[in-house]
């Protein structure tokens, strides 16, 4: 048997990280077993489905690198097929027309809830002859007795009584097929062998199995993935912060970091935290996914993203960083090699957005100093070292402007003044960077460049003078 899994989002919004995790699990399962991964867009909700949402899903899948083997297939392009199956069920007496008005259905529901009964259709039209010319829906004739056993690959054996399942609507009064019917037909026609999806679909599973059996089709194996919670224990939603895949991209996370984080939400392999995609494929087992819901922890994602930033190819990170520099109004082509900036700065940032912000000083002068750093380091006592450094830098040629030579100059000035390196380097750092933290002073000076270095030292000397005058 060739394993075939699918990811089947509804295009009514962005690609949620919960959906992305489901897609990842389906993708890993298919790849591990040498199978195929299918993308299907379940867009039968014509009022809520949008082209923008479809594009957001496709964009998110591409950014994550979850390559599908077939698709995307669109359910709105398969209505004739669904009608064919519904007509087959009607002809075989496995479905029937129901003309119950909405008012009756609502009253029935209210009465059942008042009596503390599970709301379900009572089969009022099951034995009636309802004309195709009057307003109606089509209902599937669910078995009256027996049970449906779901051998779930995550939750284990789950048993549903057919007496608890009502005759669900499979075609609405406007002629549109319902979710449970279209999903069944698609899974059967596309040869899906394993359905991995959120556990909010678990109650749909016995209904879908009954339709599959009525059609004489093979029933796939199911795995229902627990939901993702926010840090407050509620289902993860917008109020917890970013929940869309593209939002995480825009906030400066790397796709491999987000995938790594999502695979660890409910699954583990010993104490290992960092996995390449190849390792995920090799090690992942759907049966090892935890049955309990997992809580999203942004601090953990930040840590993972920082690990990937540190160890990735600087040239690749530079390409991803460039648009974030652009959003700050910076053209990286007008300054030092962005890959070199990444090399010295990556360990200092958790996201690409943060990396862009702390690296802006390499490309443009800053407007003001960090107040605490300036108060501590840009004092009158620092004037002499800054003046000597400026004089020494002025004499250096652009060919000599290298980390090694720059370090030698700073050390020489410290030695001539009879002070330790920090007494010289820290005021210089604040003068050049605007704050007390940066990469090594030699590489910082090298990347900032001679002209900007001299300009910023002159600015710092003016600041010190103005501060001394004010005192």
């Amino acid at each position: 048997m060739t394993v075939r899994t699918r990811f089947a989002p509804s295009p009514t919004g962005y690609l949620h990280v919960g959906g992305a995790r489901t897609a990842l699990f389906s993708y890993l399962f298919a790849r591990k077993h040498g199978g195929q991964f299918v993308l299907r867009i379940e867009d039968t909700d014509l009022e809520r489905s949008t082209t923008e949402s479809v594009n957001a899903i496709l964009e998110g899948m591409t950014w994550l690198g979850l390559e599908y083997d077939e698709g995307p297939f669109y359910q709105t392009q398969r209505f004739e097929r669904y009608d064919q199956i519904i007509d087959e069920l009607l002809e075989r007496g496995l479905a029937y027309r129901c003309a119950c008005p909405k008012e009756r259905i609502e009253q029935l529901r209210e009465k059942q809830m008042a009596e503390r009964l599970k709301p379900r259709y009572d089969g009022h039209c099951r034995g009636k002859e309802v004309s195709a010319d009057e307003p109606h829906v089509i209902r599937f004739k669910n078995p009256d007795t027996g049970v449906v056993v779901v051998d779930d690959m995550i939750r284990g054996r789950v048993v549903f009584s057919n007496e608890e399942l009502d005759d669900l609507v499979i075609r609405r009064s406007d002629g549109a097929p319902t979710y449970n019917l279209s999903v069944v037909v698609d899974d059967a026609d596309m040869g899906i062998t394993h359905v991995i999806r959120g556990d909010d679909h678990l109650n749909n599973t016995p209904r879908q199995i009954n339709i599959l059996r009525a059609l004489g089709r093979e029933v796939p194996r199911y795995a229902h993935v627990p939901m993702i919670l926010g840090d407050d224990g509620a289902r993860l939603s917008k109020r917890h912060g970013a929940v869309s895949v593209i939002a995480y991209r825009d906030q400066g996370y790397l796709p491999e970091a987000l995938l790594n984080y999502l695979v660890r939400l409910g699954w583990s392999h010993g104490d290992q935290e960092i996995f390449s995609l190849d390792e995920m494929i090799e090690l992942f087992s759907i049966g090892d996914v935890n049955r309990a819901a997992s809580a999203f922890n942004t601090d953990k994602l930040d840590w993972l993203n920082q690990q990937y930033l540190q160890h990735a190819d600087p040239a690749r990170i530079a390409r991803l960083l460039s648009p974030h520099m652009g959003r700050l109004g910076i053209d990286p082509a007008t300054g030092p090699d962005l890959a070199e900036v990444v090399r010295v700065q990556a360990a200092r940032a958790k996201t690409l957005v943060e990396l862009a912000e702390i690296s802006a000083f390499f490309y443009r002068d800053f407007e003001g100093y960090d107040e605490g750093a300036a108060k501590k380091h840009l004092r009158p006592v620092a004037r002499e070292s800054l003046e000597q450094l400026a004089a020494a830098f002025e004499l250096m040629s652009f060919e000599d402007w290298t980390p090694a030579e720059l370090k030698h100059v700073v050390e020489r000035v410290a030695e001539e003044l009879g002070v330790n390196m920090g007494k010289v380097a820290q005021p210089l750092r604040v003068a050049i960077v605007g704050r007390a933290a940066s990469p090594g002073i030699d590489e910082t000076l090298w990347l900032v460049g001679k002209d900007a270095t001299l300009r910023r030292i002159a600015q710092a000397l003016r600041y010190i003078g103005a501060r001394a005058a004010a005192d």
Side-chain angles (χ1 to χ4, degrees), residues 452-469:
T453 293
L454 292 173
R455 186 170 60 247
R456 294 178 192 181
I457 290 177
Q459 176 181 292
L461 288 170
R462 289 193 296 272
Y463 175 88
I464 291 172
R467 180 176 172 184

Side-chain angles (χ1 to χ4, degrees), residues 96-166:
Y96 60 92
R97 297 182 183 90
C98 171
C100 290
K102 288 184 179 180
E103 293 76 16
R104 181 184 184 280
I105 300 299
E106 290 172 1
Q107 290 173 3
L108 176 63
R109 177 183 175 84
E110 290 174 3
K111 180 175 183 296
Q112 290 170 332
M113 292 183 68
E115 296 175 356
R116 298 182 181 276
L117 299 174
K118 182 179 179 180
R120 57 193 300 271
Y121 181 62
D122 60 358
H124 180 74
C125 291
R126 194 172 196 180
K128 293 186 175 182
E129 288 293 332
V130 175
S131 171
D133 295 327
E134 63 178 302
H136 68 276
V137 299
I138 305 296
R139 290 183 180 272
F140 172 68
K141 190 178 291 184
N142 195 76
D144 292 324
T145 60
V147 297
V148 180
V149 178
V150 181
D151 185 17
D152 194 278
M153 293 187 291
I154 294 175
R155 301 174 64 93
R157 190 172 187 265
V158 185
V159 180
F160 297 88
S161 170
N162 278 319
E163 294 178 355
E164 297 294 318
L165 306 176
D166 60 357

Side-chain angles (χ1 to χ4, degrees), residues 165-183:
L165 306 176
D166 60 357
D167 293 348
L168 75 157
V169 174
I170 57 175
R171 184 160 66 196
R172 302 183 183 93
S173 58
D174 63 2
T178 61
Y179 165 79
N180 280 303
L181 185 282
S182 55
V183 165

